[in-house]
Amino acid sequence: FVESSCHSRIFWMKLNKFLLQGKFFQLEINDPYVGPVLLDEKIASRCGYVLSEDVWGNPVFRASVLGCHVANEADELFSLTVNIKVSSFSSMRAAVTYTYPMYCSYSSWASREIVCEENYMEVSVRTDVPAVSNDYTVAWMSALPETQNVAYQLWQLMFVSPSGRKTITVSDAAKLGYSFNNTLSRVYLRAPYHTNESDVSVVSGVNMNMVTSTSMYRQRWLLLLIDTTVSCPVDGISFTDTTLTWTVPSVIPTLVVQESTFLSKTILMGVDGRVIVNPEEKNYLMEHNETHIRITVPIGAEGGKLKSSITGGVYGVIYSIDLFLEHTWTDADWQTTKYTVIKSVTTPFMPQIPTVINNTLPEERLFNVAFGHFLPDVSLVAIAIGNVPFTPREAQHHGFKIYETPFSNRTKGFVLEVSFDDPYVLKEYVNRNETKYTLLVNYSMSVGPEMTPYYHSAEVECVIADIELPEAVGYCDEENLYLVIPTFGLHRYWNLYLGSKPLNRHVALTNGYLAATNSTHLILQIPLFAMGVIYEEVSFQKIKARFDVALRKVRTMETLQMFSVRCNFNSSAFIICHPDGTIMISAQMKTIPAIDMSRTKLRDSSCKPREYNEDHAFFKFHVTTCGTSVRFEGDHIIYENEISYEKETLPRQSIPTITRDPDYRLTVLCYYQAKETLVLGAFASDPSTSPPFGSGTMVPRSNIAVYRRIRQALNVVSRVSKDESFMEFYEPNVAIIKRPVEPVFLEVELKDKSPDTELYLENCWVTGSLDFNSTPRWNITVDG
């Protein structure tokens, strides 16, 4: 589970996070003389160690070959042994220890080498420590460590900072966090960032942390001064929505005193410890000029890692990449300088609001909704359709289809397929023949290795023309109009209206319609003289009638269609009361003997029939003309007129007058609602409830009723004959149904045998009850 390498005189070791998952680990540096030394942050920067994670979350350990406890063989071969302790407990008890040696070979030292790590700066300078002899004998080599130890005690450091100069011993510098030592051929200084002896300066727009120091070696006969100044960038990172840019100064004045002699030799960039020979092949861009070296990396480029994150309930991504830069130059003061900077770059949180892509297939009646774009570290935990939650497994079992789909740039989405006909899909009838299907979705996601919950809601609509408007069929018989209307969608999408009122069972019953339904259709039977019938043309013995029913939306009341049936009728007798106050009457008058219909009239004798024949007369007049009277009864307005006949008389020298013509009178009544301009009808037995046109009820008086008036009137008995023969009569107390203008054959007989008594029939009327004075009442004869 360990991977190691050596890059640019740095040990690199990487641990596999998956093999360490759920476990705790520690690193120890195994010194052959001192023993195991626990690696912690306190010694890391002083000893040249870095313990961090790469962009994939794997633990990474880096160490300088000049670091503490590194075995050095002639500044060319280096080795370091690390103990990896793994335990299932945070206390590290029962830990298992893995000993892992690392080796690094590095001989191409430059005169000066500078390493800028995450937590320390290191400069090493080639120097010649005075040698005892030119013969590399065993005796000399065995004496060398002692010589080096003695030399170590004599080194001193002089720091120059804005506060002044400070000269301290190496041991005192170590107490301040510095590390200084010399090897066979080199002297090195390691310093943490932002010490009291450091300074920050701006070079070509980049903040540089700088430690200006001189290392001094004293012996009685020798004074050696070595410039161990080091300077490293502490920022220089900038971001756009699509790229990150790392900028490092080309020339650092504190490191190059004579800038005119500066010559850049090579510039290399690397990712994750590996040199990138051709950066452009991976879409990296490395540019340099006299002042800057600039590396631009596209967000999401190879070698880095995109990670999903949630901030404030918003989904976004963070991009991380481990970069390094190696710049080699020469100048007059130093033969060669190798300048290495290792930089781990992480972008700020970048919101990436997921989008809902509507790929709905109307022709298949199927919602197809893609939700993305997400990184691979996002998973779908649950989904709610119409506020009903489902796990992915439950959703599949219900009949939804959920699957992942890859997108470009290594992202993915989640596709949901739901049928329009699913009960959790909202349906709304819109326009004339369309349905709006609405899918309400709530996504519950798990984001990143932290499994942070994320929620997103979406609403997808689709409108399709999938409703067929009904078509009605109309026909007529001799006395009725018929409409046959499909029942599909009734009361769900639309309702039937008669004018401004819904055509329901109560209205149909009140208006005298007959309604019947089967599994597919509603059949309406409308009598010719029922309320709601429109009379387009009325003439002598002929009526052109129409009946309209409106098809309206349930919610908006918008009229979508008018169902109409129109027919011509031949009717010998009728009365029509129009809403505009026009009254049309076709009266059939059967009298014995017959009368001349041309001589019939209304109360205003100038109002004559417009058409007539032997036994019919047709009148048309307005309620404000022809002597029409008006009265109010309850919530009705009643207009009344009368058709009468002008008798021919033979005048004699003395009264009475002799005539051959019968006395004929026909009362015409039209009822209107006081608050509505609607026709209620004429000659109805109960104007408030009875069908207004085409039928009426007349109840003859029984003898009992007549006897109640014996003390006030003569002994008179009345009977109603079934026809003009007066041979067969209706039984008393039996309801008699008559059309409005159908003749009533009434016989009145005087039973009083007094020779002084004569019978003159002055007024005859019908009431709805046994009370003579009850209202309403309908006149049969008036003024004899």
Side-chain angles (χ1 to χ4, degrees):
F1 67 100
V2 181
E3 176 186 340
S4 65
S5 59
C6 179
H7 299 297
S8 188
R9 74 177 184 80
I10 294 176
F11 292 104
W12 295 67
M13 183 176 73
K14 182 182 296 186
L15 306 180
N16 190 319
K17 68 174 183 179
F18 296 106
L19 297 178
L20 293 173
Q21 194 167 12
K23 299 183 181 301
F24 302 90
F25 76 95
Q26 286 180 347
L27 296 184
E28 293 178 339
I29 308 302
N30 196 355
D31 190 301
Y33 302 104
V34 180
V37 178
L38 181 65
L39 176 61
D40 57 25
E41 292 183 2
K42 185 177 180 180
I43 70 169
S45 60
R46 183 172 60 84
C47 285
Y49 304 146
V50 174
L51 181 60
S52 63
E53 288 186 351
D54 66 6
V55 296
W56 311 104
N58 298 301
V60 172
F61 171 70
R62 293 195 298 271
S64 169
V65 296
L66 300 177
C68 305
H69 314 295
V70 176
N72 183 344
E73 298 183 20
D75 286 341
E76 293 184 356
L77 297 175
F78 306 89
S79 62
L80 179 65
T81 301
V82 179
N83 292 333
I84 306 168
K85 302 181 70 174
V86 180
S87 173
S88 299
F89 307 97
S90 59
S91 63
M92 298 304 297
R93 63 185 176 89
V96 177
T97 301
Y98 302 90
T99 300
Y100 193 84
M102 293 187 293
Y103 303 93
C104 195
S105 174
Y106 187 73
S107 58
S108 57
W109 290 94
S111 300
R112 177 176 62 176
E113 295 203 3
I114 296 174
V115 175
C116 299
E117 257 286 9
E118 292 183 21
N119 59 343
Y120 68 86
M121 303 179 291
E122 182 184 272
V123 55
S124 71
V125 180
R126 181 185 299 161
T127 184
D128 293 327
V129 178
V132 175
S133 170
N134 291 329
D135 298 325
Y136 290 92
T137 62
V138 175
W140 184 89
M141 292 298 292
S142 63
L144 184 60
E146 180 180 353
T147 305
Q148 290 179 334
N149 289 336
V150 173
Y152 172 79
Q153 298 295 326
L154 301 179
W155 283 97
Q156 287 185 311
L157 301 176
M158 181 179 66
F159 295 99
V160 180
S161 65
S163 60
R165 294 176 180 268
K166 180 192 293 185
T167 301
I168 58 176
T169 63
V170 171
S171 59
D172 289 338
K175 296 177 182 177
L176 298 177
Y178 295 94
S179 180
F180 178 85
N181 210 335
N182 66 303
T183 64
L184 180 65
S185 60
R186 306 188 72 80
V187 170
Y188 64 86
L189 173 69
R190 190 178 302 113
Y193 287 92
H194 306 297
T195 63
N196 292 332
E197 295 73 32
S198 67
D199 188 22
V200 176
S201 63
V202 179
V203 179
S204 300
V206 178
N207 287 317
M208 306 289 293
N209 190 244
M210 174 179 60
V211 175
T212 303
S213 67
T214 302
S215 302
M216 301 178 294
Y217 177 76
R218 293 179 184 274
Q219 277 188 349
R220 278 178 288 180
W221 65 86
L222 177 66
L223 175 62
L224 182 65
L225 302 178
I226 301 176
D227 184 4
T228 49
T229 297
V230 62
S231 181
C232 290
V234 293
D235 55 19
I237 303 295
S238 60
F239 305 96
T240 68
D241 291 340
T242 57
T243 62
L244 65 86
T245 301
W246 180 27
T247 302
V248 178
S250 296
V251 180
I252 303 169
T254 55
L255 302 181
V256 182
V257 178
Q258 300 182 58
E259 292 188 23
S260 61
T261 65
F262 173 84
L263 179 63
S264 178
K265 303 296 287 185
T266 61
I267 301 175
L268 298 175
M269 72 162 288
V271 174
D272 198 23
R274 294 177 175 83
V275 175
I276 305 298
V277 179
N278 297 309
E280 62 278 0
E281 292 182 358
K282 298 184 179 296
N283 294 323
Y284 305 144
L285 177 63
M286 186 171 69
E287 305 169 291
H288 63 91
N289 54 29
E290 295 179 354
T291 60
H292 294 89
I293 300 172
R294 182 173 288 114
I295 296 174
T296 302
V297 178
I299 301 296
E302 182 183 349
K305 181 186 179 183
L306 280 167
K307 174 188 173 184
S308 298
S309 181
I310 301 295
T311 298
V314 177
Y315 175 80
V317 298
I318 296 172
Y319 179 69
S320 301
I321 189 169
D322 294 330
L323 300 172
F324 78 84
L325 173 69
E326 185 177 283
H327 185 196
T328 304
W329 73 77
T330 62
D331 60 76
D333 297 308
W334 301 89
Q335 292 179 359
T336 306
T337 298
K338 182 183 287 186
Y339 188 79
T340 302
V341 185
I342 299 175
K343 190 74 172 178
S344 293
V345 183
T346 299
T347 66
F349 175 78
M350 296 178 290
Q352 302 282 329
I353 306 300
T355 57
V356 175
I357 305 169
N358 186 2
N359 297 320
T360 295
L361 305 171
E363 63 279 3
E364 298 183 16
R365 299 180 61 81
L366 185 69
F367 281 111
N368 183 294
V369 182
F371 181 46
H373 297 241
F374 292 105
L375 296 178
D377 58 359
V378 176
S379 59
L380 179 65
V381 175
I383 192 169
I385 307 295
N387 296 323
V388 179
F390 298 90
T391 65
R393 183 182 297 273
E394 290 171 342
Q396 297 280 8
H397 184 265
H398 176 78
F400 305 139
K401 190 174 181 181
I402 302 176
Y403 55 92
E404 291 187 7
T405 184
F407 291 138
S408 59
N409 59 32
R410 293 174 291 170
T411 61
K412 68 177 181 179
F414 300 92
V415 177
L416 170 66
E417 293 184 359
V418 179
S419 170
F420 285 1
D421 302 312
D422 190 273
Y424 295 115
V425 173
L426 302 180
K427 304 167 185 67
E428 180 185 359
Y429 172 51
V430 295
N431 304 324
R432 284 182 58 84
N433 61 336
E434 296 175 328
T435 303
K436 180 171 73 174
Y437 296 92
T438 303
L439 179 66
L440 301 178
V441 188
N442 288 289
Y443 296 91
S444 298
M445 321 294 291
S446 176
V447 176
E450 302 84 4
M451 301 180 69
T452 306
Y454 172 68
Y455 307 99
H456 187 89
S457 60
E459 180 176 326
V460 182
E461 295 179 352
C462 184
V463 178
I464 59 173
D466 59 353
I467 296 177
E468 184 178 352
L469 288 178
E471 296 290 339
V473 176
Y475 60 93
C476 301
D477 61 18
E478 293 180 357
E479 297 180 348
N480 302 282
L481 301 93
Y482 295 87
L483 268 178
V484 181
I485 304 170
T487 55
F488 170 78
L490 279 181
H491 311 305
R492 178 184 177 188
Y493 301 132
W494 42 68
N495 283 322
L496 298 176
Y497 273 77
L498 182 63
S500 61
K501 293 183 178 181
L503 181 55
N504 52 35
R505 184 173 297 276
H506 173 71
V507 171
L509 186 63
T510 301
N511 291 355
Y513 310 155
L514 292 179
T517 57
N518 56 27
S519 60
T520 59
H521 288 81
L522 165 68
I523 304 171
L524 275 177
Q525 175 185 312
I526 307 101
L528 173 60
F529 296 105
M531 186 167 76
V533 176
I534 300 168
Y535 304 98
E536 297 180 332
E537 184 180 329
V538 180
S539 61
F540 186 53
Q541 294 184 308
K542 180 182 178 182
I543 300 175
K544 185 177 182 180
R546 187 182 85 240
F547 183 75
D548 296 334
V549 173
L551 186 72
R552 293 187 180 181
K553 284 187 179 181
V554 170
R555 293 183 60 185
T556 64
M557 298 287 291
E558 175 189 353
T559 299
L560 300 175
Q561 205 152 308
M562 292 296 295
F563 299 140
S564 298
V565 55
R566 179 185 287 109
C567 294
N568 294 323
F569 292 88
N570 295 319
S571 181
S572 60
F574 57 81
I575 176 170
I576 298 174
C577 305
H578 274 282
D580 64 358
T582 301
I583 300 176
M584 289 178 286
I585 307 166
S586 178
Q588 184 181 22
M589 304 178 184
K590 294 183 179 181
T591 61
I592 301 176
I595 61 175
D596 184 357
M597 302 305 292
S598 65
R599 293 169 57 191
T600 57
K601 62 180 180 62
L602 298 176
R603 285 179 179 171
D604 185 342
S605 60
S606 63
C607 294
K608 298 289 187 177
R610 297 199 175 192
E611 297 179 71
Y612 57 88
N613 60 14
E614 293 181 355
D615 53 2
H616 288 82
F618 176 71
F619 293 87
K620 182 178 180 181
F621 60 96
H622 195 268
V623 294
T624 59
T625 62
C626 298
T628 306
S629 62
V630 59
R631 69 176 184 270
F632 294 87
E633 290 187 6
D635 58 351
H636 292 88
I637 303 175
I638 303 176
Y639 293 95
E640 180 178 327
N641 210 315
E642 180 181 82
I643 300 173
S644 61
Y645 171 68
E646 296 180 355
K647 301 178 182 179
E648 287 189 358
T649 60
L650 299 175
R652 294 182 60 185
Q653 294 181 354
S654 61
I655 300 177
T657 303
I658 300 173
T659 177
R660 296 175 57 249
D661 295 330
D663 193 4
Y664 178 86
R665 293 176 187 272
L666 178 65
T667 300
V668 178
L669 301 175
C670 278
Y671 290 80
Y672 292 88
Q673 285 276 9
K675 296 182 180 179
E676 295 185 23
T677 310
L678 291 175
V679 180
L680 286 182
F683 287 103
S685 61
D686 187 349
S688 64
T689 60
S690 300
F693 301 115
S695 64
T697 303
M698 300 174 65
V699 181
R701 297 296 176 185
S702 67
N703 291 337
I704 298 176
V706 175
Y707 293 153
R708 291 180 179 176
R709 301 186 61 188
I710 276 181
R711 292 190 300 272
Q712 302 174 21
L714 297 174
N715 186 7
V716 176
V717 177
S718 64
R719 296 187 300 175
V720 178
S721 174
K722 292 184 177 181
D723 53 34
E724 60 188 13
S725 66
F726 289 89
M727 299 298 293
E728 187 176 359
F729 295 86
Y730 290 101
E731 294 294 326
N733 301 319
V734 174
I736 304 171
I737 307 300
K738 291 289 185 180
R739 295 173 65 86
V741 292
E742 187 177 351
V744 178
F745 300 97
L746 181 64
E747 178 188 274
V748 181
E749 180 182 0
L750 178 62
K751 294 291 187 179
D752 197 321
K753 298 182 178 179
S754 172
D756 299 326
T757 303
E758 294 182 349
L759 175 62
Y760 289 90
L761 187 59
E762 180 180 12
N763 295 316
C764 182
W765 68 92
V766 178
T767 61
S769 70
L770 297 179
D771 184 1
F772 287 111
N773 298 316
S774 65
T775 58
R777 80 177 198 177
W778 295 268
N779 294 323
I780 298 176
T781 62
V782 179
D783 296 333

Coordinates of all heavy atoms in Angstrom, one line a residue, residues 497-502 552 557:
Y497 N -74.2 24.1 -20.4 CA -74.8 25.3 -19.8 C -76.0 25.7 -20.8 O -75.9 25.6 -22.0 CB -73.9 26.5 -19.8 CG -73.1 26.5 -18.5 CD1 -72.0 25.7 -18.3 CD2 -73.5 27.4 -17.4 CE1 -71.3 25.7 -17.1 CE2 -72.8 27.4 -16.2 CZ -71.7 26.6 -16.1 OH -71.0 26.6 -14.9
L498 N -77.1 26.0 -20.1 CA -78.3 26.6 -20.8 C -78.3 28.0 -20.4 O -78.7 28.4 -19.4 CB -79.5 25.8 -20.3 CG -80.8 26.3 -21.0 CD1 -80.8 25.9 -22.5 CD2 -82.0 25.6 -20.3
G499 N -77.8 28.8 -21.4 CA -77.7 30.3 -21.1 C -76.6 30.4 -20.1 O -75.4 30.0 -20.3
S500 N -76.9 31.1 -19.0 CA -75.9 31.3 -17.9 C -76.0 30.3 -16.8 O -75.2 30.3 -15.8 CB -76.1 32.7 -17.3 OG -77.4 32.8 -16.7
K501 N -76.9 29.3 -16.9 CA -77.1 28.3 -15.8 C -76.6 27.0 -16.3 O -76.8 26.6 -17.4 CB -78.6 28.2 -15.5 CG -79.2 29.5 -14.8 CD -80.6 29.3 -14.4 CE -81.2 30.5 -13.7 NZ -82.6 30.3 -13.3
P502 N -76.0 26.2 -15.3 CA -75.6 24.9 -15.7 C -76.8 24.0 -15.9 O -77.8 24.1 -15.2 CB -74.8 24.4 -14.5 CG -75.2 25.3 -13.3 CD -75.6 26.6 -14.0
R552 N -68.9 24.4 -21.8 CA -68.0 25.3 -21.1 C -66.9 24.6 -20.3 O -67.2 23.5 -19.8 CB -68.7 26.3 -20.3 CG -69.6 27.3 -21.0 CD -70.2 28.3 -20.1 NE -71.1 29.2 -20.8 CZ -71.7 30.3 -20.2 NH1 -71.6 30.4 -18.9 NH2 -72.5 31.1 -20.9
M557 N -65.0 28.7 -17.2 CA -66.3 29.0 -17.8 C -66.2 29.4 -19.3 O -67.2 30.0 -19.8 CB -67.0 30.1 -17.0 CG -67.3 29.7 -15.5 SD -68.6 28.5 -15.5 CE -70.0 29.5 -16.0

